[in-house]
Amino acid sequence: MEIKKSEITRWAAMGPRAAFGMAVLKLYEEEPDFFVMSADLGSSSGLARFYSKYPDAFVNVGIAEQNLIGVAAGLAKDGTPVFATSFAPFISMRASEQIRMNMGYMSLNIKAVGLGSGLAMNTLGASHFGLEDMAVMRTIPGMTVLCPSDGLQIAKCVEASKHYDGPVYIRLSGGADIIYEDDFDYEIGKAIITKQGNDVAFIATGSIISQTLKAADLLEEKGITCKVIDMHTVKPLDKDILNSLTEYKLIVTVEEHNIFGGLGSAVAEYYANRKERPRQLMLGVNDFYPHPGKYEYLLNECGLTPEKISERVMETYAEG
C-alpha cells in the first residue's frame, strides 16, 4: 500500500481512530477481499467513509460485542480477514470468552481492533479507559498483539494484519504526534529503533513513544544517552532486540497500560530465565484508575510526561 507524504501528515493530525478508518478504506480500494465490523461505533471508529462507500463489506451488529466476535467468526470461517472494532475495554473483556474460543482456540482470521485504548477516552473515566486489554489479549494462545505508534504505523499495521493469517489484536491508544515522517519497512514481530544511545534503553509501545522520545532528549541534556525502541509488537516480542540489550545499565519499559500484564511484564518474563539481564524500570499506569480529565492531565497524573519519565529514569540510573 503506497502512502504519500501528505497522507502521513494528514492521518497523524486526525488521530488514531480516523487514521485507522482511512487506512482500512485505502487498503480496501486496493484489495477488496475482507470485511469490517463495528459494535455500533462506525463513525467513532473512523469508518464513516468506508461504510458509506462500501456498505456490502461493512457489518454493524449494534452494541453487542460478544455477538460482534461471533458474527466475525462466521465471516472468517473460510479464511476471509475480518476487522472487528469496538472500544478497547469492551472488545477485550466483554467479549473475552468469544475471543478465547473463536480467535484463540479456533485460530480464525479475525483482527480485533481496540479503539481508544490506554487513556485516549480521557473524559469518560474508568469504564472507557483501556488499561487491562494488553494483559487479557497476551494470555490468549496464538494471539498476536500489535500497538502502532502513529498514523503511518497504523496504516502499516492494518495492511500487515490483513495479510497475516491468524488472530490479531490491534491496540489504538491516544496521542496524535508524528513519529515516522517517511515511509518505512514494517514487519510484525520486528521492533524499530527510533533513537540510538548507549546508557539507557527505552522500550515503548503505542503512541506513548512520543513522550518517551522527548524524555530521552531531556536525559541527553543531562549526559545520559538513550536508545529508544518502538516495540510495536507486544506478542511475539522481538527477541533479537532484547538479546542485544543485556549490556545496558538500565532498560525502561513505557506503556499506556497498567504496569501489570502489559509490555513491562512481557519484557520481564522474557528476561526472567536468562543468566544475564539488565535492570528494568517499568513505567505505566501504576495499578489505579486515573481521574477523568484532559489527555495531558492524565499523562501527568500517571507519571507519563517527558519530565516525569526522565525524572524516574534519573533517580533509578543514579542508584546504580
Side-chain angles (χ1 to χ4, degrees), residues 239-253:
K239 296 179 181 179
D240 292 335
I241 282 282
L242 294 179
N243 289 340
S244 72
L245 303 179
T246 55
E247 299 302 318
Y248 277 81
K249 183 177 180 180
L250 178 68
I251 62 170
V252 184
T253 52

Side-chain angles (χ1 to χ4, degrees), residues 70 224 237:
I224 300 175
L237 292 171

Side-chain angles (χ1 to χ4, degrees), residues 130-142:
L131 304 179
E132 312 91 348
D133 55 327
M134 270 199 290
V136 173
M137 291 298 183
R138 280 207 312 119
T139 63
I140 304 294

